[in-house]
Amino acid sequence: MADLNRLLESTSRTFALSIPALDEPLRTEVTVAYLLFRIADTFEDAADWPQARRVEALAEFAAWVRDVAAGQAPNEVPRGASWNQGVAPSEHRGYRELVAATADVLQAFHDLTPAARAAIGHHTMRTAQGMAEFVTRADDEGRLVLGDLADLQAYCYVVAGIVGELLTELFLLAHPGLEPRRAELLARAATFGEALQLVNILKDAASDAREGRTFLPASAPRAEVFALARRDLDSARRYVLDLQQGGAPTGLLTFTALPVAFAEATLARVERDGAGAKITRTEVATIALALAERLAAGDAAF
């Protein structure tokens, strides 16, 4: 678990703050799921790789996840695996270390309960396959351009909406008392993920463009994308409140509410200051403290 935590801290500031709030076994399950999705995301975003290599890496990874999900013990990464040859998939040190530790992450995945492994494996394969489809749409120079708002939402579903659905399945497995809220949670699960992804896309628009990815469609006025993000964040709030009304423990509420609160503050900052704007560490701490005080007092998360 120590190695998984180190990989988490080196690849995600937000989730490194929120995942430790979860109780076991959910904490390990969500950590493993996050790392698997991050590996797929690293292959999708490998700007220095040709299109065919990115697609091949995603296919190899999905096949390996499928086999481990079925109960096969993972071996070391095959020497011929596309991601082990030549140019690294990312300049980000944490992402490179994570890809190098793929076999270790898959071993941790293999060690989960069959039910958790089945859920994580199913959704990881879905996102890897969906990512590969978007990669194949890139032009000869590797640039991906999304066509319209519906196309943007389809992309967000593949890379984040599926995450929301997976998390919901894991929450229901870990906390059977949430079962009466199943319908409400599943109805908002994908939007919960989409909300966080849309804010990241708006925040990172400039850096994404430099790397050949244009997620903000030229046909959609920026105001429409901000409006969609705000609607999604409102739905994400209601998702958290559904969890709270269903009796979810404080750790689970903290895990889901913190990213939403951070996203709301980030969206306001980006709308005011433009792409690239971020909330400060002091603001992060203030938001986290305010949430902790609300939950400790028995008040609504939002």
Side-chain angles (χ1 to χ4, degrees):
M1 190 62 191
D3 288 340
L4 294 182
N5 287 336
R6 181 181 59 78
L7 291 170
L8 177 64
E9 290 169 2
S10 67
T11 55
S12 173
R13 174 176 144 186
T14 298
F15 286 107
L17 286 172
S18 59
I19 288 178
L22 296 168
D23 296 327
E24 293 292 0
L26 195 52
R27 176 178 176 179
T28 297
E29 293 167 357
V30 173
T31 298
V32 170
Y34 168 78
L35 294 175
L36 290 173
F37 272 69
R38 174 54 69 185
I39 291 169
D41 190 61
T42 301
F43 295 151
E44 183 218 355
D45 287 343
D48 292 331
W49 283 5
Q51 179 191 83
R53 185 176 181 188
R54 291 156 66 190
V55 171
E56 181 184 5
L58 285 164
E60 288 177 340
F61 179 65
W64 205 5
V65 168
R66 178 200 63 214
D67 291 343
V68 176
Q72 294 186 27
N75 299 313
E76 293 184 1
V77 179
R79 291 184 180 180
S82 63
W83 63 82
N84 268 357
Q85 301 175 5
V87 178
S90 175
E91 295 181 358
H92 189 290
R93 180 177 177 180
Y95 298 168
R96 293 199 308 272
E97 290 178 350
L98 174 59
V99 169
T102 297
D104 296 327
V105 177
L106 282 167
Q107 183 60 57
F109 171 49
H110 175 268
D111 293 341
L112 300 177
T113 65
R117 197 169 64 230
I120 294 170
H122 171 66
H123 290 295
T124 303
M125 287 186 288
R126 290 179 65 215
T127 201
Q129 292 160 358
M131 287 176 177
E133 291 175 7
F134 275 96
V135 169
T136 60
R137 290 176 46 184
D139 62 20
D140 292 340
E141 296 181 6
R143 293 188 299 253
L144 173 65
V145 178
L146 297 180
D148 54 24
L149 205 56
D151 204 17
L152 172 59
Q153 287 186 277
Y155 176 79
C156 286
Y157 176 73
V158 163
V159 301
I162 291 174
V163 176
E165 293 173 343
L166 167 59
L167 289 174
T168 304
E169 287 191 32
L170 294 178
F171 297 162
L172 290 164
L173 278 173
H175 300 288
L178 291 171
E179 193 62 32
R181 293 279 173 172
R182 172 182 287 271
E184 294 93 330
L185 292 170
L186 290 177
R188 296 191 175 111
T191 309
F192 174 81
E194 178 179 290
L196 305 182
Q197 185 66 27
L198 275 177
V199 173
N200 281 336
I201 285 174
L202 286 163
K203 173 175 65 70
D204 299 333
S207 59
D208 282 336
R210 287 194 296 272
E211 294 182 5
R213 298 184 296 272
T214 305
F215 295 122
L216 295 174
S219 64
R222 192 63 54 92
E224 286 188 14
V225 182
F226 275 101
L228 175 60
R230 283 193 292 270
R231 290 195 300 273
D232 283 354
L233 284 170
D234 181 64
S235 179
R237 278 178 168 241
R238 286 182 283 163
Y239 176 87
V240 176
L241 294 175
D242 282 336
L243 287 169
Q244 189 169 22
Q245 291 163 8
T250 299
L252 179 49
L253 298 176
T254 300
F255 168 73
T256 50
L258 265 184
V260 175
F262 293 154
E264 288 180 326
T266 299
L267 185 67
R269 183 62 51 82
V270 172
E271 196 163 20
R272 188 190 74 186
D273 299 336
K278 300 178 181 180
I279 56 176
T280 67
R281 291 183 181 273
T282 299
E283 289 170 315
V284 166
T286 300
I287 291 169
L289 178 60
L291 174 64
E293 289 176 344
R294 286 195 298 276
L295 295 179
D299 295 334
F302 295 103

